[in-house]
């Protein structure tokens, strides 16, 4: 290791070296040039993003505040519409399981007079009910559920919408984009005071949808996708014969046009419709602590989802 005196001697020699001031001046000029180039690149990047802000200047229609050609779709801001190429882009559900894979069954244990095998059978039936009523494409697009599922829910009471127990869209209005519906939630069970087995389920389903006609191409060849988020809490009771019945049902739909008539369907809002909709209260459809409509009540709240 060099002695401190050696270091001081070298430092003084460098400070007194001929041309030192000129070298420092040239180095400073090079640094400034690099800084200007970096700033220019940043300006170009901002210019690419600037199109979606252009609506404030009147250069772009107010209901089309985006310039998606400027960026790769995976990098689009969450405010820009999703497309058929990436239907779950920007959604918290993007990392969720697909369809029925998101409905995990808890381990089966004996409860009351029911054996672990019998409990397992009830849990599997509950899963089948959830899949048929929320994840089966033909039912989601308006068809009747399988007979055994219809028996679980029974006939809707007078004035009660099928949406109380089924997620349904009008197939003349929209269709599912692809075959994937995102799913996440929980299922638990316990014995009631009377010895019945009660299964509690709380699941959120996210549906990607496109218009049957008149859809908007966000970029050429890539039509807009909108998403509807439906959360359901369902308590099913298993009788002594193993048949299920509904004890309690609660639900809520987000990004559904609450102004539409009660016709048994959800009516999703796309970007242009949302831009013209009233300023409803904000709603986080992924807040699992939020209150839901129960006892068969309507879950079609007039609210603007913070995200879908």
């Amino acid at each position: 290791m060099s002695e401190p005196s050696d270091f001081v001697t070298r430092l003084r020699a460098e400070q007194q070296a001929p041309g030192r001031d000129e070298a420092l001046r040239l180095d400073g000029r090079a640094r400034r040039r690099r800084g200007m180039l970096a700033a220019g690149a940043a300006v170009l990047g901002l210019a690419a993003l600037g199109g979606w802000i252009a609506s404030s200047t009147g250069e772009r229609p107010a209901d089309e505040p985006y310039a998606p050609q400027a960026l790769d779709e995976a990098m689009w801001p969450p405010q820009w519409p999703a497309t058929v190429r990436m239907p779950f882009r920007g959604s918290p559900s993007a990392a969720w399981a697909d369809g029925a894979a998101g409905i995990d069954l808890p381990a089966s244990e004996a409860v009351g007079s029911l054996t672990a095998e019998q409990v397992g059978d009830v849990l599997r039936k509950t899963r089948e009910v959830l899949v048929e009523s929320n994840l089966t494409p033909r039912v989601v697009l308006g068809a009747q559920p399988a007979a055994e599922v219809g028996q679980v829910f029974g006939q809707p009471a007078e004035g009660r919408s099928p949406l109380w127990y089924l997620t349904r869209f009008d197939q003349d209005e929209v269709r599912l984009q692809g075959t994937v519906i995102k799913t996440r939630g929980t299922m638990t069970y316990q014995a009631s005071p009377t010895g019945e087995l009660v299964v509690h389920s709380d699941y959120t389903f996210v549906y990607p949808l496109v218009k049957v006609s008149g859809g908007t191409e966000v970029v050429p060849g890539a039509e807009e996708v909108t998403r509807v988020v439906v959360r359901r809490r369902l308590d099913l009771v298993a009788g002594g014969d193993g048949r299920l019945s509904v004890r309690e049902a609660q639900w809520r739909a987000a990004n559904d046009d609450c102004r539409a008539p009660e016709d048994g369907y959800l009516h999703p809002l796309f970007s242009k419709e949302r831009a013209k909709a009233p300023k409803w209260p904000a709603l986080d459809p992924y807040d699992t602590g939020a209150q839901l409509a129960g006892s068969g009540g309507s879950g079609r709240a007039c609210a603007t989802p913070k995200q879908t």
Side-chain angles (χ1 to χ4, degrees):
M1 180 180 293
S2 301
E3 293 294 330
S5 58
D6 294 337
F7 174 78
V8 172
T9 300
R10 289 199 308 273
L11 182 60
R12 286 176 177 172
E14 290 174 0
Q15 291 175 338
Q16 296 171 3
R20 176 177 178 273
D21 291 340
E22 178 64 12
L24 290 174
R25 184 180 67 81
L26 294 175
D27 180 71
R29 178 185 294 178
R31 288 174 181 272
R32 288 192 296 273
R33 185 181 295 113
R34 288 195 295 270
M36 291 175 66
L37 289 173
V43 169
L44 289 175
L46 289 174
L49 286 172
W52 81 285
I53 307 175
S55 59
S56 62
T57 67
E59 297 175 8
R60 183 175 296 276
D63 61 353
E64 191 185 335
Y66 47 86
Q69 295 90 338
L71 290 173
D72 181 84
E73 189 163 344
M75 300 173 62
W76 290 4
Q79 298 91 337
W80 293 359
T83 77
V84 294
R85 299 188 306 201
M86 299 183 68
F88 294 100
R89 180 191 58 78
S91 172
S93 68
W96 291 10
D98 296 351
I103 305 179
D104 293 323
L105 300 184
S108 302
E109 298 179 359
V111 172
S113 61
L114 297 179
T115 65
E117 183 178 357
Q118 290 173 318
V119 170
D121 185 56
V122 171
L123 295 178
R124 286 188 292 273
K125 288 180 179 178
T126 299
R127 187 174 188 267
E128 291 172 3
V129 168
L130 293 171
V131 170
E132 180 73 4
S133 56
N134 297 282
L135 295 171
T136 303
R138 61 177 181 78
V139 176
V140 170
L141 293 178
Q144 292 296 317
E148 57 269 25
V149 172
Q151 292 172 358
V152 170
F153 291 106
Q155 292 297 320
E158 183 69 26
R160 176 180 290 175
S161 170
L163 294 172
W164 175 63
Y165 60 90
L166 300 175
T167 300
R168 303 170 79 233
F169 299 94
D170 188 343
Q171 63 178 337
D172 294 330
E173 179 182 345
V174 295
R175 60 178 174 80
L176 287 168
Q177 171 54 35
T179 59
V180 173
I181 298 168
K182 293 294 186 177
T183 309
R184 174 177 285 185
T186 59
M187 185 186 300
T188 60
Y189 61 91
Q190 65 183 64
S192 72
T194 57
E196 298 173 308
L197 179 66
V198 182
V199 181
H200 308 278
S201 64
D202 188 342
Y203 284 90
T204 299
F205 307 93
V206 184
Y207 302 85
L209 302 150
V210 295
K211 290 185 177 181
V212 170
S213 62
T216 299
E217 284 194 339
V218 182
V219 292
E223 189 176 345
E224 178 185 0
V225 166
T226 196
R227 296 183 293 260
V228 171
V229 184
V230 176
R231 180 180 166 217
R232 293 190 182 277
R233 294 185 63 185
L234 183 65
D235 288 356
L236 297 179
V237 179
D241 57 359
R243 296 183 62 179
L244 299 177
S245 60
V246 178
R247 168 167 289 186
E248 177 67 31
Q250 300 174 308
W251 72 287
R252 179 187 63 203
N255 197 34
D256 167 53
D257 191 349
C258 65
R259 300 166 298 180
E262 291 284 353
D263 57 1
Y265 299 109
L266 296 172
H267 296 278
L269 291 167
F270 289 76
S271 59
K272 289 185 178 181
E273 289 85 3
R274 281 196 302 271
K276 298 175 183 178
K279 291 186 177 180
W280 294 316
L283 165 72
D284 182 359
Y286 295 97
D287 180 6
T288 56
Q291 185 175 1
L292 303 181
S295 301
S298 175
R300 302 181 63 188
C302 286
T304 300
K306 295 180 180 178
Q307 54 188 343
T308 59

